[in-house]
């Protein structure tokens, strides 16, 4: 689920990027395919994840470190882009993280974050039971208010995972369907080649 979020984020990220709650660091590889990104710093609270990230994804343009998203050990106005995917719901006080993200961003910096919609959270709870790791589920109004407290421009986007099925009359016709040759192929985009 996070792959397509990183891919989407890579269209907007630029300069020095800080990925807060980076997990095992695979997002660095996706983001650094964007040549507008100069450096990548991944921060996570879990030592095992950071160890894995350093072993697997460290390069001349990447670095990883332990950190708490509500108290980042980073100088103010350091980053052009801060990315934090599916993080806020894990915090009892998500406003502390947003405040920190704003602090470490340059004045014209970009924050890209994602969080589960309350309807999705309810669906998951109905199917799997309550998620003990989710401390805050913010409504659209709450997240907009929180973001507008710190940022002049705020845009909300919605993502959803869709499972597709292709029905083809025979094996010879299946060659008409091809994965698209652009970046959307990573999202499962297909097209019909009629030529």
């Amino acid at each position: 689920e996070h792959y397509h979020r990183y891919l989407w984020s890579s269209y907007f990220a630029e300069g020095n990027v800080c990925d807060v709650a980076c997990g095992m660091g695979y997002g660095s590889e996706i983001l650094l395919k964007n040549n507008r990104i100069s450096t990548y710093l991944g921060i996570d609270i879990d030592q095992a994840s950071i160890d894995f990230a350093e072993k697997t994804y460290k390069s001349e343009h990447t670095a990883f470190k332990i950190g708490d998203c509500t108290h980042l050990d980073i100088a103010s106005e350091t980053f052009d882009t801060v990315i934090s995917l599916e993080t806020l719901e894990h915090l009892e006080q998500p406003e502390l993280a947003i405040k920190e993200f704003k602090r470490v961003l340059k004045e014209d910096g970009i924050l890209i974050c994602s969080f589960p919609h309350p309807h999705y959270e309810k669906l998951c709870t109905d199917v799997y039971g309550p998620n003990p790791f989710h401390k805050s589920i913010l409504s659209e109004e709450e997240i907009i208010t929180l973001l507008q407290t710190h940022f002049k421009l705020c845009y909300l986007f919605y993502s959803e995972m869709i499972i597709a099925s292709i029905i083809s009359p025979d094996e010879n016709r299946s060659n008409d369907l091809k994965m698209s040759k652009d970046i959307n192929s990573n999202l499962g985009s297909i097209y019909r080649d009629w030529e």
Side-chain angles (χ1 to χ4, degrees):
E1 287 184 48
H2 288 193
Y3 185 94
H4 75 287
R5 291 184 183 103
Y6 274 116
L7 187 62
W8 184 84
S9 299
S10 73
Y11 288 109
F12 303 97
E14 60 186 25
N16 298 321
V17 172
C18 183
D19 183 6
V20 184
C22 68
M24 296 189 299
Y26 68 89
S28 64
E29 200 169 63
I30 300 166
L31 292 166
L32 286 170
K33 288 181 181 176
N34 171 352
N35 61 14
R36 293 187 330 268
I37 295 175
S38 310
T39 64
Y40 169 97
L41 173 63
I43 297 175
D44 202 275
I45 201 163
D46 181 60
Q47 183 67 56
S49 294
I50 292 299
D51 291 344
F52 180 87
E54 285 184 329
K55 185 170 59 172
T56 310
Y57 298 106
K58 189 159 182 167
S59 73
E60 63 180 305
H61 299 289
T62 62
F64 298 92
K65 68 185 261 184
I66 289 287
D68 178 344
C69 64
T70 61
H71 298 93
L72 294 169
D73 184 21
I74 296 170
S76 297
E77 298 185 32
T78 299
F79 292 98
D80 300 290
T81 307
V82 169
I83 297 172
S84 191
L85 306 177
E86 305 300 295
T87 306
L88 299 179
E89 68 274 14
H90 294 273
L91 307 173
E92 290 187 14
Q93 295 180 288
E95 63 275 7
L96 297 178
I98 296 295
K99 187 176 178 181
E100 276 294 271
F101 300 161
K102 174 64 175 173
R103 183 185 67 76
V104 302
L105 274 169
K106 294 178 182 176
E107 188 175 340
D108 60 348
I110 301 166
L111 169 64
I112 302 169
C113 63
S114 68
F115 54 92
H117 192 282
H119 295 305
Y120 181 75
E121 186 71 20
K122 182 184 180 318
L123 173 66
C124 290
T125 299
D126 290 347
V127 173
Y128 303 110
N131 186 330
F133 302 106
H134 286 190
K135 311 290 186 201
S136 299
I137 301 303
L138 302 171
S139 69
E140 291 175 45
E141 295 77 18
E142 289 170 322
I143 196 67
I144 289 170
T145 300
L146 175 57
L147 291 171
Q148 287 180 338
T149 301
H150 300 282
F151 296 93
K152 293 177 187 173
L153 296 173
C154 300
Y155 299 95
L156 275 169
F157 295 85
Y158 300 88
S159 71
E160 59 184 308
M161 296 295 288
I162 299 172
I163 298 173
S165 173
I166 299 172
I167 300 173
S168 181
D170 61 44
E171 290 182 33
N172 295 329
R173 296 281 304 153
S174 65
N175 290 331
D176 288 345
L177 292 173
K178 300 178 181 177
M179 293 300 292
S180 66
K181 296 183 176 30
D182 63 18
I183 199 162
N184 288 329
S185 64
N186 291 322
L187 302 179
S189 298
I190 57 172
Y191 68 98
R192 182 170 289 280
D193 183 1
W194 294 105
E195 297 182 47

